[in-house]
Short mmCIF file of all heavy atoms in Angstrom, two decimals:
data_model
loop_
_atom_site.label_atom_id
_atom_site.label_comp_id
_atom_site.label_asym_id
_atom_site.label_seq_id
_atom_site.Cartn_x
_atom_site.Cartn_y
_atom_site.Cartn_z
N LEU A 10 151.90 58.87 -48.17
CA LEU A 10 150.99 59.35 -49.11
C LEU A 10 150.76 58.30 -50.16
O LEU A 10 149.67 58.21 -50.71
CB LEU A 10 151.64 60.71 -49.76
CG LEU A 10 151.61 61.94 -48.92
CD1 LEU A 10 152.35 63.03 -49.58
CD2 LEU A 10 150.12 62.33 -48.61
N PHE A 11 151.77 57.56 -50.50
CA PHE A 11 151.70 56.50 -51.40
C PHE A 11 150.59 55.39 -50.96
O PHE A 11 149.74 55.06 -51.65
CB PHE A 11 153.03 55.81 -51.64
CG PHE A 11 153.02 54.46 -52.29
CD1 PHE A 11 152.88 54.40 -53.64
CD2 PHE A 11 153.18 53.36 -51.48
CE1 PHE A 11 152.84 53.13 -54.19
CE2 PHE A 11 153.17 52.09 -52.09
CZ PHE A 11 153.00 52.00 -53.44
N LEU A 12 150.75 54.99 -49.65
CA LEU A 12 149.88 54.03 -49.11
C LEU A 12 148.44 54.61 -49.09
O LEU A 12 147.39 53.91 -49.43
CB LEU A 12 150.24 53.61 -47.74
CG LEU A 12 151.54 52.84 -47.66
CD1 LEU A 12 151.95 52.54 -46.26
CD2 LEU A 12 151.34 51.42 -48.40
N LEU A 13 148.26 55.86 -48.60
CA LEU A 13 146.95 56.45 -48.63
C LEU A 13 146.32 56.57 -49.99
O LEU A 13 145.07 56.31 -50.18
CB LEU A 13 147.00 57.91 -47.99
CG LEU A 13 147.20 57.88 -46.50
CD1 LEU A 13 147.40 59.28 -45.99
CD2 LEU A 13 145.98 57.18 -45.77
N THR A 14 147.12 56.85 -51.01
CA THR A 14 146.56 57.00 -52.43
C THR A 14 146.13 55.61 -52.85
O THR A 14 145.05 55.45 -53.48
CB THR A 14 147.65 57.57 -53.31
OG1 THR A 14 148.09 58.85 -52.86
CG2 THR A 14 147.18 57.66 -54.80
N ASN A 15 146.91 54.57 -52.59
CA ASN A 15 146.56 53.25 -53.04
C ASN A 15 145.28 52.73 -52.41
O ASN A 15 144.46 52.10 -52.95
CB ASN A 15 147.72 52.25 -52.84
CG ASN A 15 148.66 52.27 -54.02
OD1 ASN A 15 148.26 52.42 -55.13
ND2 ASN A 15 149.95 52.30 -53.71
N LEU A 16 145.19 53.02 -51.07
CA LEU A 16 143.98 52.61 -50.32
C LEU A 16 142.76 53.37 -50.81
O LEU A 16 141.71 52.79 -50.95
CB LEU A 16 144.16 52.86 -48.85
CG LEU A 16 145.10 51.89 -48.13
CD1 LEU A 16 145.35 52.33 -46.69
CD2 LEU A 16 144.64 50.45 -48.22
N ALA A 17 142.98 54.63 -51.23
CA ALA A 17 141.81 55.44 -51.75
C ALA A 17 141.31 54.89 -53.07
O ALA A 17 140.15 54.75 -53.35
CB ALA A 17 142.17 56.85 -51.84
N VAL A 18 142.32 54.41 -53.83
CA VAL A 18 141.97 53.77 -55.17
C VAL A 18 141.17 52.49 -54.98
O VAL A 18 140.16 52.24 -55.59
CB VAL A 18 143.21 53.59 -55.98
CG1 VAL A 18 142.89 52.61 -57.21
CG2 VAL A 18 143.77 54.86 -56.43
N LEU A 19 141.67 51.68 -53.97
CA LEU A 19 140.92 50.39 -53.67
C LEU A 19 139.55 50.56 -53.19
O LEU A 19 138.60 49.94 -53.58
CB LEU A 19 141.70 49.54 -52.78
CG LEU A 19 143.02 48.95 -53.22
CD1 LEU A 19 143.71 48.20 -52.09
CD2 LEU A 19 142.69 47.88 -54.32
N VAL A 20 139.39 51.56 -52.23
CA VAL A 20 138.06 51.84 -51.74
C VAL A 20 137.17 52.42 -52.86
O VAL A 20 136.04 52.02 -52.97
CB VAL A 20 138.16 52.87 -50.58
CG1 VAL A 20 136.91 53.43 -50.16
CG2 VAL A 20 138.86 52.24 -49.40
N THR A 21 137.72 53.25 -53.66
CA THR A 21 136.91 53.82 -54.75
C THR A 21 136.48 52.77 -55.78
O THR A 21 135.28 52.64 -56.19
CB THR A 21 137.67 54.92 -55.53
OG1 THR A 21 137.97 55.98 -54.58
CG2 THR A 21 136.88 55.51 -56.63
N LEU A 22 137.42 51.94 -56.16
CA LEU A 22 137.05 50.79 -57.09
C LEU A 22 136.06 49.79 -56.43
O LEU A 22 135.07 49.36 -57.13
CB LEU A 22 138.32 49.99 -57.50
CG LEU A 22 139.27 50.76 -58.43
CD1 LEU A 22 140.50 49.85 -58.65
CD2 LEU A 22 138.61 51.02 -59.72
#
Side-chain angles (χ1 to χ4, degrees):
L10 289 173
F11 164 78
L12 291 174
L13 286 174
T14 302
N15 276 319
L16 287 174
V18 167
L19 286 176
V20 168
T21 303
L22 288 177

